[in-house]
């Protein structure tokens, strides 16, 4: 329905020229379509020891993305190409382009999968070891004995732990078994933790022989970081009742025919 018109009102004559021009031809209108051009380009993250090149990155994210390693030539191209450019490179499926772009952004935000934060990696293999490190005094728990005397729990020691020490996971170069410099702050590795004292637990962790789970190795494997796709059961939610009804009908007919 058209707006009611006020009799005898002339907008051009009644409104100031500047206000009339801004209402009929706003100055911001031509700029609306070009705001995305002023966006700053995303930064290109540096490769990590566990992910040194494009081929390894595509192998890790899985879903057979490694078949595109010949189409993406360099690290910078991987992190700067948009969806249209990836399509021009030969990645035709929209689902695959979205998956690569999602994992690319996660890598840029340092949201790695297992092994992405390792520092000492040789030929795609890293070693994790549980070693003894000094306990920080501020984190040392206190308790009391039967006489009410204060005791420091960490100075007592156990059958498997030296007094004043605790176990921590470290990423040592292959072949090394002890941490040389204990004064530096230790890095915590995502996806890996200690359980039952000094046993290392985590995805794709292979126990090194004769270490009783106190040392493991993690090797670059296809699909380590893969996000599994959902699968439809009996046609999915939309067609599930229909397919199950047809199946039940066919089973009844087969049972009647067999009788």
């Amino acid at each position: 329905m058209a707006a009611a018109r006020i009799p005898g009102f002339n907008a051009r004559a009644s409104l100031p020229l500047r206000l009339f021009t801004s209402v009929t031809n706003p100055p911001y209108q031509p700029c609306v379509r070009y705001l995305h051009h002023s966006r700053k380009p995303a930064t290109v993250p540096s490769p990590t020891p566990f992910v040194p090149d494009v081929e390894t990155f595509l192998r890790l994210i899985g879903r057979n993305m490694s078949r595109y390693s010949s189409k993406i030539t360099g690290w910078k191209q991987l992190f700067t190409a948009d969806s249209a450019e990836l399509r021009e490179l030969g990645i035709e499926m929209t689902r695959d382009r979205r998956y690569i772009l999602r994992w690319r952004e996660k890598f840029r935000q340092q949201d790695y999968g297992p092994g992405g934060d390792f520092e000492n990696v040789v030929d795609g293999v890293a070693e994790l070891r549980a070693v003894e490190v000094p306990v920080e005094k501020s984190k040392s728990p206190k308790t009391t004995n039967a006489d009410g005397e204060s005791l420091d729990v960490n100075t007592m020691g156990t059958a498997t732990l030296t007094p004043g020490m605790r176990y921590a996971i470290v990423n040592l170069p292959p072949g090394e078994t002890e941490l040389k410099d204990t004064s530096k702050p230790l890095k915590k590795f995502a996806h890996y933790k200690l359980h039952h004292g000094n046993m290392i637990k985590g995805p794709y962790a292979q126990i090194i022989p004769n270490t009783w789970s106190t040392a493991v190795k993690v090797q670059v494997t296809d699909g380590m970081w893969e996000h599994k796709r959902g699968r439809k059961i009996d046609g999915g939610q939309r067609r599930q009742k229909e397919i199950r009804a047809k199946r039940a009908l066919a089973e009844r007919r087969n049972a009647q025919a067999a009788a």
Side-chain angles (χ1 to χ4, degrees):
M1 181 177 179
R5 189 172 181 180
I6 302 176
F9 178 77
N10 188 349
R12 183 180 293 275
S14 302
L15 297 176
L17 179 60
R18 180 179 299 178
L19 179 59
F20 178 79
T21 305
S22 63
V23 172
T24 57
N25 187 20
Y28 57 83
Q29 188 174 5
C31 303
V32 172
R33 296 176 59 87
Y34 302 100
L35 288 176
H36 61 282
H37 289 296
S38 62
R39 185 179 59 182
K40 294 182 179 180
T43 58
V44 178
S46 301
T48 64
F50 200 73
V51 192
D53 49 34
V54 176
E55 182 180 0
T56 306
F57 177 83
L58 296 177
R59 284 184 58 196
L60 289 171
I61 64 176
R63 293 194 186 179
N64 199 21
M65 294 295 127
S66 57
R67 67 183 186 273
Y68 299 127
S69 59
S70 61
K71 302 181 183 298
I72 303 176
T73 57
W75 187 262
K76 184 177 181 180
Q77 185 183 36
L78 172 64
F79 283 90
T80 55
D82 56 14
S83 182
E85 293 172 348
L86 290 177
R87 184 175 183 178
E88 292 177 358
L89 292 174
I91 306 177
E92 297 290 342
M93 296 184 63
T94 305
R95 178 189 298 161
D96 292 347
R97 296 199 303 271
R98 288 178 177 175
Y99 185 66
I100 292 175
L101 293 176
R102 182 168 79 245
W103 258 115
R104 185 181 75 177
E105 186 60 27
K106 288 174 67 68
F107 191 92
R108 182 181 285 115
Q109 300 297 332
Q110 298 183 359
D111 186 6
Y112 307 125
D117 50 358
F118 292 164
E119 298 174 344
N120 297 307
V121 183
V122 178
D123 296 331
V125 180
E127 291 186 3
L128 297 178
R129 292 183 179 272
V131 299
E132 290 185 341
V133 296
V135 177
E136 299 179 10
K137 294 183 179 180
S138 59
K139 296 183 179 180
S140 180
K142 302 290 184 179
T143 186
T144 56
N145 58 9
D147 299 331
E149 298 177 353
S150 178
L151 297 176
D152 190 346
V153 175
N154 290 315
T155 60
M156 299 178 184
T158 64
T160 59
L161 187 63
T162 306
M165 307 291 281
R166 67 179 178 89
Y167 281 111
I169 299 177
V170 294
N171 174 215
L172 298 177
E176 295 187 11
T177 58
E178 296 182 359
L179 185 64
K180 296 180 180 179
D181 189 1
T182 59
S183 60
K184 296 182 179 180
L186 297 178
K187 180 179 181 179
K188 292 185 178 181
F189 302 102
H191 309 285
Y192 295 92
K193 61 182 180 180
L194 291 172
H195 73 121
H196 295 304
N198 59 351
M199 303 175 69
I200 302 176
K201 182 179 181 181
Y204 296 92
Q206 305 174 18
I207 301 174
I208 297 177
N210 301 324
T211 60
W212 298 278
S213 297
T214 60
V216 299
K217 67 177 182 179
V218 182
Q219 186 173 2
V220 173
T221 308
D222 292 349
M224 283 183 68
W225 299 0
E226 181 175 353
H227 291 166
K228 301 294 184 181
R229 290 173 51 192
R231 60 188 184 92
K232 292 184 177 181
I233 299 177
D234 294 339
Q237 184 178 4
R238 186 169 59 89
R239 301 178 57 230
Q240 193 175 78
K241 291 183 179 180
E242 177 186 355
I243 290 179
R244 289 182 177 179
K246 290 181 178 180
R247 182 189 301 162
L249 178 61
E251 290 176 354
R252 288 196 300 269
R253 288 178 177 175
N254 294 335
Q256 293 174 0

